[in-house]
Amino acid sequence: MCVGFLKTPKTFPIPYLRLQTSQKGLCAVDFVTHKGRSNTPDLWMQQSLEALENYFKGDLVRFEIPLDIGGSPFQKQVWHALQAIPYAQVRSYKDIAQAIGNPKAYRALGNANHANPCPLVIPCHRVVRANGDLGGYGGGKGIKTWLLNHERCWATSCDPITP
């Protein structure tokens, strides 16, 4: 297991992302306030760090990083559906439930969303309530708001949030 840290842009609510990779791919992304010990980056760590840096620069709109994540079949189905949400767009919990063929699974879908081990890469921040309210986010609403504004800004060529 390889551990690495990425310094986030100055305007981002949390100063670091902690990444974990295995020999198969990215395993986890966590929001952390302090940089800890890291290993010499392996191939997947290098690719993950580079992809996230490009995301924050506005140069990457879809992650193509191999993932090595656990989870139930239902969770994996939800996480796969989240990856289909286009950059700078949102979908409701209802939309995702219908997309996975389980239209009454809002609550279970919310739990799977919260259990997402790789936020940003699996864009759970793009899921909102049916009425347009943000809803919850494991990293906090401040991070969710920042991410949605960041993507919207880059997608519409407004003055982007810069590091």
Side-chain angles (χ1 to χ4, degrees):
M1 191 70 62
C2 184
V3 175
F5 292 84
L6 176 73
K7 177 75 177 121
T8 59
K10 290 179 184 177
T11 58
F12 195 72
I14 299 291
Y16 296 98
L17 297 179
R18 180 182 184 271
L19 285 66
Q20 285 184 282
T21 58
S22 71
Q23 294 178 350
K24 296 179 182 179
L26 180 65
C27 302
V29 176
D30 298 301
F31 303 109
V32 296
T33 57
H34 296 88
K35 185 176 179 181
R37 292 188 64 159
S38 56
N39 309 89
T40 302
D42 61 17
L43 173 66
W44 301 131
M45 181 62 70
Q46 290 171 357
Q47 287 185 2
S48 298
L49 289 167
E50 183 179 315
L52 284 160
E53 286 171 356
N54 287 332
Y55 170 81
F56 282 120
K57 290 178 190 173
D59 294 336
L60 185 135
V61 297
R62 181 168 173 80
F63 290 94
E64 300 291 339
I65 302 167
L67 300 176
D68 182 17
I69 54 177
S72 71
F74 178 78
Q75 287 173 323
K76 289 180 178 183
Q77 183 183 28
V78 169
W79 298 336
H80 182 73
L82 297 179
Q83 290 176 294
I85 303 172
Y87 182 82
Q89 295 185 28
V90 295
R91 297 292 184 269
S92 70
Y93 291 96
K94 181 180 179 179
D95 294 335
I96 301 300
Q98 289 174 339
I100 64 170
N102 201 340
K104 295 184 180 183
Y106 309 138
R107 188 170 304 239
L109 193 142
N111 290 335
N113 210 22
H114 184 73
N116 174 9
C118 295
L120 281 77
V121 178
I122 299 173
C124 54
H125 62 278
R126 296 181 190 152
V127 181
V128 298
R129 292 183 176 155
N131 66 3
D133 287 346
L134 288 182
Y137 188 67
K141 285 187 181 181
I143 291 175
K144 185 172 188 171
T145 299
W146 193 99
L147 293 169
L148 292 173
N149 287 339
H150 172 75
E151 291 181 4
R152 185 172 38 253
C153 209
W154 281 107
T156 61
S157 301
C158 70
D159 185 22
I161 300 168
T162 56

PDB file of all heavy atoms in Angstrom, residues 98-114:
ATOM      1  N   GLN A  98     -32.981   5.802 -10.464  1.00  0.00           N
ATOM      2  CA  GLN A  98     -33.612   5.342 -11.704  1.00  0.00           C
ATOM      3  C   GLN A  98     -32.566   4.795 -12.674  1.00  0.00           C
ATOM      4  O   GLN A  98     -32.809   3.795 -13.349  1.00  0.00           O
ATOM      5  CB  GLN A  98     -34.407   6.482 -12.336  1.00  0.00           C
ATOM      6  CG  GLN A  98     -35.655   6.816 -11.543  1.00  0.00           C
ATOM      7  CD  GLN A  98     -36.404   8.033 -12.059  1.00  0.00           C
ATOM      8  OE1 GLN A  98     -35.851   8.878 -12.752  1.00  0.00           O
ATOM      9  NE2 GLN A  98     -37.676   8.118 -11.708  1.00  0.00           N
ATOM     10  N   ALA A  99     -31.407   5.437 -12.737  1.00  0.00           N
ATOM     11  CA  ALA A  99     -30.352   4.997 -13.656  1.00  0.00           C
ATOM     12  C   ALA A  99     -29.852   3.597 -13.331  1.00  0.00           C
ATOM     13  O   ALA A  99     -29.459   2.854 -14.237  1.00  0.00           O
ATOM     14  CB  ALA A  99     -29.186   5.987 -13.639  1.00  0.00           C
ATOM     15  N   ILE A 100     -29.876   3.232 -12.056  1.00  0.00           N
ATOM     16  CA  ILE A 100     -29.408   1.891 -11.691  1.00  0.00           C
ATOM     17  C   ILE A 100     -30.557   0.883 -11.636  1.00  0.00           C
ATOM     18  O   ILE A 100     -30.362  -0.265 -11.254  1.00  0.00           O
ATOM     19  CB  ILE A 100     -28.632   1.889 -10.352  1.00  0.00           C
ATOM     20  CG1 ILE A 100     -29.528   2.294  -9.181  1.00  0.00           C
ATOM     21  CG2 ILE A 100     -27.387   2.766 -10.441  1.00  0.00           C
ATOM     22  CD1 ILE A 100     -28.898   2.086  -7.817  1.00  0.00           C
ATOM     23  N   GLY A 101     -31.762   1.320 -12.035  1.00  0.00           N
ATOM     24  CA  GLY A 101     -32.899   0.415 -12.098  1.00  0.00           C
ATOM     25  C   GLY A 101     -33.505   0.078 -10.748  1.00  0.00           C
ATOM     26  O   GLY A 101     -34.141  -0.965 -10.593  1.00  0.00           O
ATOM     27  N   ASN A 102     -33.309   0.962  -9.773  1.00  0.00           N
ATOM     28  CA  ASN A 102     -33.844   0.734  -8.441  1.00  0.00           C
ATOM     29  C   ASN A 102     -34.450   2.048  -7.939  1.00  0.00           C
ATOM     30  O   ASN A 102     -33.906   2.694  -7.049  1.00  0.00           O
ATOM     31  CB  ASN A 102     -32.721   0.249  -7.517  1.00  0.00           C
ATOM     32  CG  ASN A 102     -33.237  -0.481  -6.314  1.00  0.00           C
ATOM     33  OD1 ASN A 102     -34.379  -0.336  -5.939  1.00  0.00           O
ATOM     34  ND2 ASN A 102     -32.354  -1.256  -5.691  1.00  0.00           N
ATOM     35  N   PRO A 103     -35.577   2.478  -8.530  1.00  0.00           N
ATOM     36  CA  PRO A 103     -36.096   3.826  -8.317  1.00  0.00           C
ATOM     37  C   PRO A 103     -36.513   4.179  -6.893  1.00  0.00           C
ATOM     38  O   PRO A 103     -36.672   5.351  -6.590  1.00  0.00           O
ATOM     39  CB  PRO A 103     -37.301   3.907  -9.262  1.00  0.00           C
ATOM     40  CG  PRO A 103     -37.668   2.507  -9.563  1.00  0.00           C
ATOM     41  CD  PRO A 103     -36.410   1.701  -9.442  1.00  0.00           C
ATOM     42  N   LYS A 104     -36.629   3.212  -6.014  1.00  0.00           N
ATOM     43  CA  LYS A 104     -37.009   3.518  -4.628  1.00  0.00           C
ATOM     44  C   LYS A 104     -35.823   3.442  -3.666  1.00  0.00           C
ATOM     45  O   LYS A 104     -36.009   3.498  -2.453  1.00  0.00           O
ATOM     46  CB  LYS A 104     -38.118   2.573  -4.178  1.00  0.00           C
ATOM     47  CG  LYS A 104     -39.401   2.781  -4.962  1.00  0.00           C
ATOM     48  CD  LYS A 104     -40.507   1.917  -4.451  1.00  0.00           C
ATOM     49  CE  LYS A 104     -41.768   2.176  -5.299  1.00  0.00           C
ATOM     50  NZ  LYS A 104     -42.911   1.433  -4.819  1.00  0.00           N
ATOM     51  N   ALA A 105     -34.628   3.356  -4.194  1.00  0.00           N
ATOM     52  CA  ALA A 105     -33.438   3.138  -3.363  1.00  0.00           C
ATOM     53  C   ALA A 105     -32.736   4.428  -2.943  1.00  0.00           C
ATOM     54  O   ALA A 105     -31.532   4.440  -2.757  1.00  0.00           O
ATOM     55  CB  ALA A 105     -32.458   2.230  -4.110  1.00  0.00           C
ATOM     56  N   TYR A 106     -33.496   5.513  -2.759  1.00  0.00           N
ATOM     57  CA  TYR A 106     -32.855   6.803  -2.413  1.00  0.00           C
ATOM     58  C   TYR A 106     -31.967   6.702  -1.186  1.00  0.00           C
ATOM     59  O   TYR A 106     -30.828   7.177  -1.187  1.00  0.00           O
ATOM     60  CB  TYR A 106     -33.884   7.894  -2.120  1.00  0.00           C
ATOM     61  CG  TYR A 106     -34.952   8.104  -3.135  1.00  0.00           C
ATOM     62  CD1 TYR A 106     -36.264   8.307  -2.719  1.00  0.00           C
ATOM     63  CD2 TYR A 106     -34.682   8.128  -4.487  1.00  0.00           C
ATOM     64  CE1 TYR A 106     -37.277   8.514  -3.628  1.00  0.00           C
ATOM     65  CE2 TYR A 106     -35.688   8.321  -5.405  1.00  0.00           C
ATOM     66  CZ  TYR A 106     -36.980   8.523  -4.983  1.00  0.00           C
ATOM     67  OH  TYR A 106     -37.983   8.721  -5.879  1.00  0.00           O
ATOM     68  N   ARG A 107     -32.509   6.150  -0.105  1.00  0.00           N
ATOM     69  CA  ARG A 107     -31.757   6.101   1.159  1.00  0.00           C
ATOM     70  C   ARG A 107     -30.516   5.218   1.024  1.00  0.00           C
ATOM     71  O   ARG A 107     -29.425   5.592   1.450  1.00  0.00           O
ATOM     72  CB  ARG A 107     -32.646   5.604   2.285  1.00  0.00           C
ATOM     73  CG  ARG A 107     -31.988   5.708   3.643  1.00  0.00           C
ATOM     74  CD  ARG A 107     -32.978   5.438   4.734  1.00  0.00           C
ATOM     75  NE  ARG A 107     -34.101   6.354   4.599  1.00  0.00           N
ATOM     76  CZ  ARG A 107     -34.486   7.205   5.513  1.00  0.00           C
ATOM     77  NH1 ARG A 107     -33.862   7.241   6.659  1.00  0.00           N
ATOM     78  NH2 ARG A 107     -35.513   8.001   5.317  1.00  0.00           N
ATOM     79  N   ALA A 108     -30.665   4.046   0.437  1.00  0.00           N
ATOM     80  CA  ALA A 108     -29.520   3.154   0.242  1.00  0.00           C
ATOM     81  C   ALA A 108     -28.494   3.803  -0.680  1.00  0.00           C
ATOM     82  O   ALA A 108     -27.279   3.672  -0.476  1.00  0.00           O
ATOM     83  CB  ALA A 108     -29.982   1.819  -0.334  1.00  0.00           C
ATOM     84  N   LEU A 109     -28.985   4.523  -1.669  1.00  0.00           N
ATOM     85  CA  LEU A 109     -28.091   5.227  -2.585  1.00  0.00           C
ATOM     86  C   LEU A 109     -27.313   6.306  -1.825  1.00  0.00           C
ATOM     87  O   LEU A 109     -26.101   6.471  -2.021  1.00  0.00           O
ATOM     88  CB  LEU A 109     -28.913   5.867  -3.700  1.00  0.00           C
ATOM     89  CG  LEU A 109     -28.131   6.375  -4.882  1.00  0.00           C
ATOM     90  CD1 LEU A 109     -28.904   6.099  -6.149  1.00  0.00           C
ATOM     91  CD2 LEU A 109     -27.855   7.842  -4.755  1.00  0.00           C
ATOM     92  N   GLY A 110     -27.974   7.035  -0.939  1.00  0.00           N
ATOM     93  CA  GLY A 110     -27.296   8.040  -0.120  1.00  0.00           C
ATOM     94  C   GLY A 110     -26.220   7.412   0.751  1.00  0.00           C
ATOM     95  O   GLY A 110     -25.127   7.962   0.893  1.00  0.00           O
ATOM     96  N   ASN A 111     -26.517   6.240   1.301  1.00  0.00           N
ATOM     97  CA  ASN A 111     -25.519   5.541   2.119  1.00  0.00           C
ATOM     98  C   ASN A 111     -24.330   5.085   1.279  1.00  0.00           C
ATOM     99  O   ASN A 111     -23.179   5.196   1.706  1.00  0.00           O
ATOM    100  CB  ASN A 111     -26.151   4.349   2.834  1.00  0.00           C
ATOM    101  CG  ASN A 111     -27.101   4.769   3.932  1.00  0.00           C
ATOM    102  OD1 ASN A 111     -26.989   5.854   4.492  1.00  0.00           O
ATOM    103  ND2 ASN A 111     -28.064   3.915   4.243  1.00  0.00           N
ATOM    104  N   ALA A 112     -24.594   4.588   0.080  1.00  0.00           N
ATOM    105  CA  ALA A 112     -23.500   4.188  -0.815  1.00  0.00           C
ATOM    106  C   ALA A 112     -22.684   5.400  -1.219  1.00  0.00           C
ATOM    107  O   ALA A 112     -21.450   5.344  -1.289  1.00  0.00           O
ATOM    108  CB  ALA A 112     -24.064   3.486  -2.046  1.00  0.00           C
ATOM    109  N   ASN A 113     -23.356   6.500  -1.483  1.00  0.00           N
ATOM    110  CA  ASN A 113     -22.680   7.743  -1.844  1.00  0.00           C
ATOM    111  C   ASN A 113     -21.743   8.167  -0.716  1.00  0.00           C
ATOM    112  O   ASN A 113     -20.589   8.532  -0.947  1.00  0.00           O
ATOM    113  CB  ASN A 113     -23.735   8.824  -2.108  1.00  0.00           C
ATOM    114  CG  ASN A 113     -23.317   9.854  -3.103  1.00  0.00           C
ATOM    115  OD1 ASN A 113     -22.443   9.630  -3.919  1.00  0.00           O
ATOM    116  ND2 ASN A 113     -23.951  11.000  -3.044  1.00  0.00           N
ATOM    117  N   HIS A 114     -22.236   8.097   0.521  1.00  0.00           N
ATOM    118  CA  HIS A 114     -21.439   8.485   1.684  1.00  0.00           C
ATOM    119  C   HIS A 114     -20.244   7.545   1.899  1.00  0.00           C
ATOM    120  O   HIS A 114     -19.209   7.970   2.404  1.00  0.00           O
ATOM    121  CB  HIS A 114     -22.314   8.527   2.935  1.00  0.00           C
ATOM    122  CG  HIS A 114     -21.593   9.004   4.149  1.00  0.00           C
ATOM    123  ND1 HIS A 114     -21.242  10.317   4.336  1.00  0.00           N
ATOM    124  CD2 HIS A 114     -21.142   8.336   5.233  1.00  0.00           C
ATOM    125  CE1 HIS A 114     -20.598  10.449   5.482  1.00  0.00           C
ATOM    126  NE2 HIS A 114     -20.531   9.255   6.037  1.00  0.00           N
TER     127      HIS A 114
END
